[in-house]
Amino acid sequence: MKFHLLTIFPAFFDGPFQHGVVARGAQFGSLELKVHDLRKYTHDLHRTVDDRPFGGGEGMLLKPEPLFDAVEDIWPERTPQRRVILLSASGRKFTQQVARELLQYEELLFICGRYEGVDERVAEHLADEELSIGDYVLSGGELAAAVIVDSVARLLPGVVGNADSTVNESFEDGLLDCPQWTRPAEFRGWKVPEVLLGGNHAEIKKWRKQAAREKTARFRPDLLA
Ligand code: 9D3
């Protein structure tokens, strides 16, 4: 899968994509990453990407022309295998289910907003959809894009070491992960549950399911409802 990121801060992605599953996926050819500098698609001396909102109001908006020019240069043809996603605080909420949905595309292009927003014509006529990563205010779309790339990348075949390690994850069976422990069996007086130290795998399986239910009821009752 190929991921394009369109941003006014291309260096932002140096960190997140040089580590972990995304870096490994790129190294082994399961995914490709291309970061595009929006300012490259400006035509004025000051490389202007933003302007004031019509009707007044706080702050600045990303102008439509550089965004349309960039997307049309990156993809001269739009096909059903290509999806343009505008990261926006008012988009549809990104979830694990949406991550799975995005796997169907060959290429994704993320438009990272900055300032107070983006000219609405970008949402209406350039992007295929708007996604938000949650109900909190970020200062731009870059972090959100990195979150989405990470979660989609680790679902690609060959990216996470074990081919089966993503089939039964938290959220997908509607429960949080069960609590887990490693050695030592007693640390500062806190003991690991006895059942996990024995080898009764049927008992362990039952115990884990119950522990996952209790943890979900306590921290995420919305997942059970
Ligand atoms: C809520 C107040 N507004 C700002 C005065 C709207 C607003 C504009 C731009 C709020 C956030 C942003 C920048 N955020 C994003 O571009 C963004 C985002 C987010 O803030 N939260 C969750 N997901 C995302 S995806 C992109």
Side-chain angles (χ1 to χ4, degrees):
M1 185 170 220
K2 188 162 175 179
F3 299 91
H4 298 269
L5 297 117
L6 182 57
T7 174
I8 57 168
F9 295 129
F12 183 96
F13 295 100
D14 291 351
F17 293 162
Q18 271 164 28
H19 303 277
V21 296
V22 175
R24 193 141 28 99
Q27 192 184 336
F28 292 110
S30 313
L31 64 92
E32 210 179 319
L33 291 164
K34 271 202 106 139
V35 179
H36 305 270
D37 184 353
L38 182 63
R39 289 198 199 274
K40 208 182 106 183
Y41 298 95
T42 57
H43 301 289
D44 64 313
L45 186 64
H46 297 103
R47 307 210 295 166
T48 310
V49 290
D50 62 336
D51 205 341
R52 305 193 330 259
F54 278 119
E58 286 296 293
M60 304 286 272
L61 304 178
L62 285 183
K63 293 162 61 63
E65 303 96 314
L67 289 167
F68 275 79
D69 285 351
V71 172
E72 288 163 2
D73 180 62
I74 297 165
W75 287 343
E77 299 270 275
R78 297 279 288 267
T79 69
Q81 285 76 41
R82 293 175 163 167
R83 192 129 175 114
V84 177
I85 295 168
L86 173 64
L87 283 319
S88 145
S90 29
R92 170 165 78 117
K93 180 94 61 80
F94 180 73
T95 62
Q96 188 65 23
Q97 194 185 316
V98 178
R100 292 237 175 251
E101 215 179 282
L102 294 179
L103 284 173
Q104 73 183 284
Y105 300 102
E106 283 169 10
E107 290 186 72
L108 301 175
L109 194 165
F110 296 95
I111 299 176
C112 306
R114 273 277 152 178
Y115 308 111
E116 301 308 308
V118 178
D119 185 285
E120 188 63 17
R121 286 165 290 197
V122 172
E124 291 218 332
H125 306 293
L126 184 63
D128 294 302
E129 73 172 321
E130 288 181 78
L131 290 178
S132 157
I133 61 164
D135 295 339
Y136 34 81
V137 181
L138 300 173
S139 53
E142 285 81 2
L143 269 174
V147 164
I148 295 175
V149 169
D150 186 274
S151 66
V152 174
R154 61 181 294 286
L155 296 175
L156 294 171
V159 173
V160 173
N162 174 2
D164 288 335
S165 62
T166 65
V167 300
N168 199 6
E169 297 188 301
S170 253
F171 304 113
E172 300 196 67
D173 64 0
L175 290 179
L176 298 182
D177 281 340
C178 67
Q180 301 184 90
W181 292 263
T182 184
R183 291 185 294 179
E186 181 175 342
F187 171 69
R188 297 188 178 180
W190 299 305
K191 292 191 170 98
V192 172
E194 200 67 42
V195 58
L196 300 177
L197 304 178
N200 188 335
H201 293 292
E203 267 306 298
I204 290 172
K205 195 171 174 195
K206 217 172 73 188
W207 186 91
R208 283 183 165 157
K209 189 81 183 176
Q210 187 50 29
R213 281 200 200 96
E214 282 166 21
K215 193 156 185 171
T216 307
R218 183 163 163 212
F219 295 112
R220 293 294 306 277
D222 58 298
L223 293 178
L224 295 171

